[in-house]
């Protein structure tokens, strides 16, 4: 019988706790370390039992996981990414807006090469990455990420400094820039744009449009592609996790699927 894959995880907010629920009871996987803020300890143990709680990359490495799951923050990815990959531990990461910085991106790629490990980026809150990455081989002419959501859902983001959210009564596009600029300004809010950019034509060639739109009560992601191999337009309106009303349930499921695929005999 094949032994369970050993997992470590950074980040146990709404997404991270949902990932732990999806993977924690699967016999194909065993959690050997959890890195999170101290106030998350009870919630982690409720889902994963007596898993060791750690707070440094060295402590994660000492636990000897096969895979580290990152669903914490840009800074966590930058702090843990290189040492984990250099140690030969595969990394599944979602805070990839941090990789809009080319130097940081090249650093992680070099660390993965040195450690003979891999950095995998799940689709997260969007879909169609298989089409985008395949179309890259035929030539992509245009790639855009558009998000529409109600003005109230933009509160607590840099959008508050760009427009008067309380005054929006009609659809309003308040940001039209490259994925590089979007990731720099909106950070974690645009991890999906960074994912799309890396799967396709890069940060400078991928466009980002952000809309405050009262007609969209949920966060809605739209991917638009024009390529030599064809065109695509998909729209996803995501629901939030039961744990946190600001975290995408699909993102958590996407992370879990990326990990579960490691053990699947029939892969999708």
């Amino acid at each position: 019988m094949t032994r369970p894959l050993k997992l470590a995880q950074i980040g146990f907010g709404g997404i991270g706790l949902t990932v732990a629920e999806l993977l924690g009871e699967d016999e194909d996987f065993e959690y050997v370390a959890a890195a999170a803020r101290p106030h998350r300890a009870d919630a982690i143990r409720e889902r994963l039992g007596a898993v060791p709680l750690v707070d440094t990359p060295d402590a994660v490495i000492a636990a000897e996981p096969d895979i580290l799951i990152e669903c914490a923050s840009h800074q966590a990815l930058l702090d843990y990414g290189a040492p984990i990959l250099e140690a030969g531990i595969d990394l599944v990461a979602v805070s990839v807006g941090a990789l809009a910085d080319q130097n940081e991106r090249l650093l992680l790629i070099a660390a993965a090469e040195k450690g003979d490990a891999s950095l995998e980026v799940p689709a997260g809150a969007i879909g169609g990455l298989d089409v985008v990455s395949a179309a890259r081989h035929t030539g992509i002419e245009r790639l855009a990420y558009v998000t529409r959501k109600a003005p109230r859902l933009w509160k607590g983001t840099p959008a508050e400094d760009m427009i008067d959210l309380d005054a929006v009564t009609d659809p309003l596009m308040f940001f039209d820039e490259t994925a590089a600029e979007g990731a720099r300004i909106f950070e974690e809010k645009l991890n999906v744009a960074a994912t799309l950019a890396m799967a396709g034509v890069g940060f400078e060639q991928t466009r980002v449009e952000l809309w405050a739109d009262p007609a969209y009560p949920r966060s809605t992601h739209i991917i638009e592609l024009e390529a030599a191999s064809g065109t695509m337009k998909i729209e996803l309106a995501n629901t939030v996790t039961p744990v946190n009303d600001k975290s995408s349930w699909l993102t958590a499921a996407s992370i879990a699927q990326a990990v579960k695929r490691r053990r699947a005999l029939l892969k999708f």
Side-chain angles (χ1 to χ4, degrees):
M1 182 176 178
T2 306
R3 72 165 177 82
L5 282 179
K6 294 187 291 184
L7 306 179
Q9 183 174 315
I10 320 169
F12 288 86
I15 290 173
L17 288 174
T18 304
V19 170
E21 289 178 352
L22 292 170
L23 295 175
E25 295 183 357
D26 190 323
E27 293 181 354
D28 282 335
F29 306 100
E30 174 192 1
Y31 272 85
V32 295
R37 295 185 176 94
H39 72 274
R40 296 288 186 187
D42 289 344
I44 293 169
R45 291 195 171 105
E46 181 182 336
R47 290 161 176 81
L48 299 178
V51 61
L53 302 182
V54 300
D55 59 6
T56 66
D58 285 345
V60 171
I61 293 168
E64 299 184 339
D66 298 299
I67 304 168
L68 173 65
I69 302 165
E70 180 281 314
C71 40
S73 66
H74 285 190
Q75 193 57 54
L77 176 58
L78 299 180
D79 290 345
Y80 282 76
I84 290 297
L85 290 166
E86 284 187 5
I89 299 166
D90 289 343
L91 175 60
V92 175
V94 291
S95 299
V96 293
L99 303 187
D101 183 323
Q102 183 180 17
N103 290 333
E104 299 292 355
R105 190 164 69 250
L106 293 176
L107 177 66
L108 290 195
I109 292 170
E113 184 175 14
K114 181 177 180 181
D116 193 24
S118 66
L119 168 59
E120 181 173 354
V121 181
I126 59 174
L129 288 189
D130 53 343
V131 177
V132 172
S133 58
R136 182 177 58 189
H137 301 295
T138 72
I140 294 176
E141 298 152 15
R142 178 178 177 271
L143 181 60
Y145 167 73
V146 182
T147 187
R148 290 177 178 264
K149 54 187 173 182
R152 64 179 176 79
L153 297 178
W154 287 109
K155 290 190 174 183
T157 77
E160 289 186 309
D161 299 324
M162 298 177 177
I163 57 173
D164 182 355
L165 292 169
D166 292 327
V168 176
T169 56
D170 295 308
L172 176 63
M173 182 174 67
F174 62 88
F175 188 85
D176 181 10
E177 261 293 351
T178 65
E181 188 68 3
R184 184 185 69 81
I185 295 173
F186 285 85
E187 298 185 343
E188 274 84 1
K189 292 296 181 182
L190 281 185
N191 284 325
V192 289
T195 300
L196 184 67
M198 290 190 291
V201 288
F203 285 89
E204 294 298 335
Q205 299 302 315
T206 302
R207 300 299 302 181
V208 171
E209 294 180 13
L210 306 180
W211 292 73
D213 190 338
Y216 285 78
R218 291 189 290 179
S219 293
T220 301
H221 308 279
I222 302 164
I223 311 299
E224 300 174 347
L225 169 73
E226 297 174 10
S229 52
T231 62
M232 177 184 73
K233 182 176 181 179
I234 60 172
E235 179 175 312
L236 298 95
N238 296 342
T239 57
V240 295
T241 68
V243 178
N244 184 312
D245 65 3
K246 292 185 180 297
S247 301
S248 165
W249 205 347
L250 182 60
T251 297
S254 176
I255 297 166
Q257 173 62 12
V259 175
K260 286 175 177 285
R261 192 165 50 238
R262 301 291 180 110
R263 273 291 162 84
L265 298 178
L266 180 60
K267 298 180 187 292
F268 296 99

